Amino acid sequence: MKRIACHQPNFFPHLGFFRKLLMADVFVILDDVQFSRRSYTQRTLIKIQHTGKWLTVPVIKKGKYYQKIADVRIDNTRHWKKDHLMTFYYHYRAADYFDEIYPLLKDVYSEDFEFLMDFNMKGIRMIMSYLGIDKEFILSSELGIDKKGSEKILGIVKSLGGSVYVSGRGGSAYLVEEDFEREGIRIEFYPYPEPYPQLGFGFIKGLSIVDALFNIGMKTRRLIEP
């Protein structure tokens, strides 16, 4: 049984991204799909006291509505990196693992990237390194599957000889399960990770994994284990 998972190269993704990563035998980064503005590829959610706050990487948008994720350029005329780091500092400095995680974030932001995907992948690899996750990626652009939506995912899984496709529950909104069944491929929806201690009031689901790293450090690995 060979498990395949696919995902956009998101900006400091949520916990589910990394659970799916651990469940998959082969993980495909969707770099040749259309970039969706105001999506998790460009922004991520962190917690401020009892509410969520979006952090957004500014990108060049004029005349580029239909660009692919791999082609999206960061708008480096704006002072976004300093603003992000200040936000992390002021809202997580009381977290138990701030002294471990904040220097790692500073390193991610220390390099000047032209393309959004390259910046996002550096963040993803930093998190993988910290949590001891050793996994290689395949870029969807390398596979040459010129289709969209569910057909593209199915084509990717077939091209890699997969028998199981690992998906978040959101995949049920666009995956045509009958097509997968016809090809003898099972769709496996991963369970969302359990709640963990957060700063402030209550628990907010769907935050960037950075929130968990600040609050529980290496214990985050237990949350995402299949």
Side-chain angles (χ1 to χ4, degrees):
M1 185 164 58
K2 187 176 184 181
R3 288 183 169 87
I4 311 297
C6 304
H7 211 287
Q8 296 91 338
N10 284 353
F11 170 40
F12 289 141
H14 57 65
L15 290 162
F17 176 100
F18 294 93
R19 170 164 278 188
K20 184 160 68 169
L21 178 63
L22 287 177
M23 290 177 66
D25 298 304
V26 180
F27 196 94
V28 179
I29 293 291
L30 297 170
D31 65 325
D32 63 346
V33 300
Q34 184 177 332
F35 171 66
S36 178
R37 298 184 183 187
R38 298 180 66 81
S39 69
Y40 285 98
T41 309
Q42 180 188 7
R43 62 181 188 166
T44 196
L45 190 64
I46 63 170
K47 188 177 182 183
I48 295 178
Q49 295 182 338
H50 60 283
T51 190
K53 174 181 173 61
W54 291 106
L55 285 183
T56 302
V57 180
V59 299
I60 299 171
K61 294 179 275 189
K62 188 174 181 180
K64 299 179 180 296
Y65 191 84
Y66 296 106
Q67 62 185 329
K68 294 178 180 179
I69 288 177
D71 299 326
V72 177
R73 286 179 164 83
I74 298 173
D75 183 358
N76 283 311
T77 63
R78 300 170 63 179
H79 302 294
W80 60 279
K81 292 193 289 186
K82 181 179 179 181
D83 291 343
H84 284 198
L85 287 171
M86 287 178 62
T87 300
F88 286 127
Y89 179 82
Y90 284 113
H91 294 288
Y92 285 103
R93 57 184 170 176
D96 288 346
Y97 292 88
F98 176 82
D99 290 340
E100 279 188 24
I101 303 304
Y102 190 68
L104 300 179
L105 291 177
K106 287 182 70 176
D107 181 67
V108 172
Y109 283 89
S110 67
E111 189 173 349
D112 291 326
F113 288 100
E114 179 180 1
F115 291 96
L116 176 65
M117 177 176 162
D118 294 335
F119 171 73
N120 288 356
M121 290 304 299
K122 182 175 181 180
I124 289 169
R125 290 192 172 97
M126 177 277 287
I127 294 164
M128 291 172 61
S129 176
Y130 177 77
L131 295 175
I133 299 173
D134 184 16
K135 185 86 67 172
E136 293 297 322
F137 297 112
I138 292 177
L139 299 179
S140 58
S141 59
E142 297 172 348
L143 301 175
I145 309 298
D146 189 20
K147 297 180 180 180
K148 296 181 179 180
S150 183
E151 289 187 353
K152 185 177 187 69
I153 299 300
L154 179 57
I156 289 172
V157 177
K158 287 175 61 178
S159 72
L160 295 172
S163 54
V164 177
Y165 177 64
V166 182
S167 173
R169 282 290 170 188
S172 61
Y174 70 91
L175 294 174
V176 183
E177 297 187 44
E178 295 83 1
D179 291 348
F180 284 76
E181 291 173 1
R182 195 177 301 116
E183 297 291 341
I185 297 169
R186 177 167 58 87
I187 299 177
E188 184 176 313
F189 295 102
Y190 66 82
Y192 197 81
E194 296 295 318
Y196 58 91
Q198 294 178 346
L199 292 174
F201 309 110
F203 178 80
I204 298 179
K205 185 178 178 180
L207 298 179
S208 167
I209 193 173
V210 169
D211 184 85
L213 297 179
F214 274 126
N215 284 296
I216 60 174
M218 279 295 297
K219 298 186 186 74
T220 303
R221 177 68 189 248
R222 300 180 200 168
L223 285 180
I224 60 175
E225 288 285 356

